Amino acid sequence: MTLQQALRRHSLPRLEARMLLQHVRPGLTHARLIADPDLLLSEEETELFEQLALRRLQGEPMAYLLGEREFYGRNFRVSPAVLIPRPETEHLVEAALARLGQLPAQVVDLGCGSGAIAITLALEAPAWQLQAVDLSPAALEVARDNAEQLGAAVHFHQGSWYQPLDGQGSFDLIVSNPPYIEQHDHHLAEGDVRFEPRMALTDEHDGLLCLREIIAGAPARLKAGGWLMLEHGFDQGDAVRQLLLAAGLQQVATLPDLAGLDRVSMGQLAG
Ligand code: GLN
């Protein structure tokens, strides 16, 4: 099959067909695709392209088909064991870097998934010492691989939230993007989300279960003056601020995402 035939063969958006072709033939530039439409794919390339195109037509996320997604300017390996990194989560990274600056800090990411947050923080703030926790061994394998590929020093632990951190001292910053979707939310059955690990998306409850647990446990693990920063759903800002205040944290605030929706909330332990 030629490039042009491949591009036209399925009812895929052209951009997606092009990305799949570039995945099937690494090094194929956009310019070459346009300049050389009659370039012939090998039989294996054709077959792989066909398989990927059909999976895409069944709804599988592009990030899983390509095996990677960009986050904060870097490529992270992803698999169906991890949530696909979202642009909204870049706000959490920005907020953390803005609050703490480049001084040495002990930092932990709870529920790290692909490792996007912890690895980005480790690379953007080289003086910080990063730890990261996830319940899923399969997710940790992806995260460890990403840390190695990107050259980030992150210590990973398997377990639930704070449990594997006992004896690890206290933190200047705790960050988390926990599962916060309510169990019956229709989004769980739509689009890319259908293919993502359910345990990374929903608490199988009201959406606040993990946020509550993380917030309640934070004061005992934060240093004086330390911050807790959390991503949450667009309609959870009020509830999360109330939980942060109830835990005795100060400077409680919420930052909007690019769509202007409540997305990241934070609080500080009195210093
Ligand atoms: N932001 C994701 C979504 O809306 C949810 C991520 C999460 O639950 N932490 O699909």
Side-chain angles (χ1 to χ4, degrees), residues 19 23 62-63 66-79 82 84-85 90 114-117 119-120 123-124 142-152:
M19 289 169 81
H23 180 66
M62 284 298 290
L66 302 175
E68 63 178 22
R69 173 56 49 93
E70 190 249 53
F71 180 81
Y72 216 88
R74 297 181 183 89
N75 270 334
F76 285 80
R77 188 190 138 209
V78 296
S79 81
V82 300
I84 299 166
E90 296 180 343
S114 65
I117 297 172
I119 291 166
T120 302
L123 294 172
E124 295 292 326
V142 174
R144 284 200 173 95
D145 189 41
N146 277 320
E148 195 178 316
Q149 294 298 319
L150 293 166

Side-chain angles (χ1 to χ4, degrees), residues 176-227:
S176 184
N177 173 19
Y180 55 69
I181 300 178
E182 188 264 319
Q183 63 178 333
H184 298 304
D185 191 307
H186 62 91
H187 288 106
L188 292 169
E190 293 168 11
D192 280 8
V193 179
R194 280 175 298 165
F195 292 86
E196 294 184 288
R198 200 176 154 95
M199 69 177 282
L201 292 162
T202 177
D203 56 5
E204 303 295 351
H205 194 67
D206 63 354
L208 290 168
L209 201 65
C210 301
L211 288 162
R212 266 191 215 103
E213 189 175 338
I214 291 166
I215 293 169
R221 272 91 175 185
L222 283 173
K223 291 184 192 173
W227 287 92

